[in-house]
């Protein structure tokens, strides 16, 4: 056989073998992949509704128990500033696949009632779309009955509304532009809106 014929025969054989390998190669199930991507997106983008005294089925004064199997729960101790100094409380940190959502603060290790819930994720929102990182301006546009208060005990400012009477929306204290006069005269002081930068952001939400 001539060398040219050998080359052609070898090439045809290689092409035949390659075609067979492609035919036997398992095809990716596009439908399954698309469905999985949609499921993952739903998990990542999931939001949690802040309601009066509650979020995601956890309500203050109720006995704590794990709810959704899609969430993870970590029991630990956390220090808080109180009017009597630093107090260490039993908390349950609640997270989903994307990260930390909120801390559930219990009365103590034996008394499993929920004392308060500290929101730490901007995926936890009120029905009016207010969350951590919303601005004071956003809040006052939605809730015209707002009030802003200051406590020297916790050295913090917060805004609230009668529509969510059990929630405090804590503000970045660096945004305060007003006078210090009168702030420390009582446990809590009312603060004027004009003394704050309206673009000040909500840094934490606590459900009592």
């Amino acid at each position: 056989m001539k060398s040219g014929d050998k080359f052609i025969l070898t090439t045809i054989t290689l092409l035949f073998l390659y075609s067979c390998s492609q035919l036997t190669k398992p095809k990716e199930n596009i439908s399954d992949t698309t469905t999985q991507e949609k499921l993952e997106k739903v998990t990542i983008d999931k939001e949690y509704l802040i309601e009066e005294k509650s979020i995601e089925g956890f309500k203050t004064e109720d006995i704590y128990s794990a709810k959704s199997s899609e969430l993870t729960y970590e029991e630990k101790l956390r220090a808080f500033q109180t009017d009597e100094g630093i107090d260490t409380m039993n908390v349950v940190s609640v997270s989903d696949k994307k990260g930390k959502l909120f801390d559930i603060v219990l009365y103590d290790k034996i008394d499993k009632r929920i004392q308060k819930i500290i929101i730490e994720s901007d995926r936890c929102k009120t029905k009016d779309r207010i969350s951590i990182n919303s601005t004071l301006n956003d809040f006052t546009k939605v809730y015209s009955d707002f009030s802003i208060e200051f406590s020297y005990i916790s050295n913090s400012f917060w805004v609230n509304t009668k529509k969510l009477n059990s929630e405090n929306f804590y503000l970045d204290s660096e945004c305060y532009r007003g006078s210090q006069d009168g702030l420390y005269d009582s446990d809590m002081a009312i603060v004027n809106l004009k003394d704050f930068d309206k673009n000040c952001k909500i840094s934490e939400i606590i459900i009592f």
Side-chain angles (χ1 to χ4, degrees):
M1 184 181 291
K2 295 180 180 180
S3 61
D5 293 338
K6 287 182 178 179
F7 174 76
I8 292 171
L9 182 59
T10 301
T11 302
I12 291 171
T13 302
L14 290 173
L15 287 172
F16 176 75
L17 292 172
Y18 175 77
S19 298
C20 290
S21 69
Q22 291 301 302
L23 288 172
T24 56
K25 184 179 179 180
K27 294 182 179 180
E28 182 180 0
N29 191 324
I30 297 173
S31 178
D32 288 349
T33 303
T34 304
T35 302
Q36 182 62 28
E37 288 175 350
K38 286 180 179 179
L39 287 172
E40 289 177 357
K41 188 175 188 305
V42 168
T43 300
I44 290 172
D45 295 339
K46 184 172 182 180
E47 295 179 349
Y48 301 86
L49 181 63
I50 297 173
E51 300 180 281
E52 180 69 11
K53 292 184 176 292
S54 70
I55 182 170
E56 199 62 19
F58 298 102
K59 188 174 183 179
T60 53
E61 298 302 324
D62 282 357
I63 302 295
Y64 163 75
S65 64
K67 306 294 184 186
S68 172
S69 60
E70 295 179 0
L71 301 176
T72 58
Y73 308 91
E74 179 189 1
E75 296 189 24
K76 61 182 183 179
L77 296 175
R78 177 171 170 175
F80 294 93
Q81 179 67 50
T82 70
D83 54 353
E84 298 178 352
I86 302 295
D87 191 11
T88 302
M89 307 288 291
N90 290 275
V91 305
V92 180
S93 288
V94 181
S95 307
D96 65 8
K97 290 183 179 179
K98 193 174 181 182
K100 175 85 170 285
L101 296 171
F102 48 85
D103 273 352
I104 297 173
V105 182
L106 308 178
Y107 277 94
D108 57 48
K109 195 171 183 178
I110 298 174
D111 186 349
K112 295 288 188 177
R113 286 179 302 141
I114 299 173
Q115 184 181 126
K116 58 186 175 181
I117 303 170
I118 304 173
I119 308 297
E120 297 185 8
S121 170
D122 60 6
R123 290 183 295 122
C124 301
K125 303 177 186 290
T126 71
K127 67 177 182 179
D128 299 299
R129 311 295 296 167
I130 297 298
S131 67
I132 287 174
N133 292 327
S134 294
T135 66
L136 180 56
N137 195 38
D138 294 332
F139 191 96
T140 56
K141 280 182 179 178
V142 173
Y143 304 114
S144 59
D145 66 339
F146 70 90
S147 65
I148 306 173
E149 300 176 31
F150 171 79
S151 170
Y152 74 83
I153 296 172
S154 59
N155 194 35
S156 57
F157 296 90
W158 65 87
V159 60
N160 53 29
T161 171
K162 291 179 181 177
K163 292 181 179 178
L164 290 168
N165 200 44
S166 60
E167 278 82 358
N168 285 348
F169 299 79
Y170 287 82
L171 303 168
D172 181 355
S173 59
E174 297 296 321
C175 301
Y176 183 63
R177 303 286 183 261
S179 170
Q180 298 291 318
D181 295 342
L183 286 182
Y184 297 89
D185 292 346
S186 61
D187 289 353
M188 286 190 291
I190 302 298
V191 184
N192 199 306
L193 176 62
K194 68 179 180 59
D195 292 330
F196 260 90
D197 177 354
K198 288 189 178 182
N199 291 320
C200 181
K201 290 187 176 181
I202 294 170
S203 58
E204 186 178 73
I205 302 170
I206 298 183
I207 302 172
F208 292 97

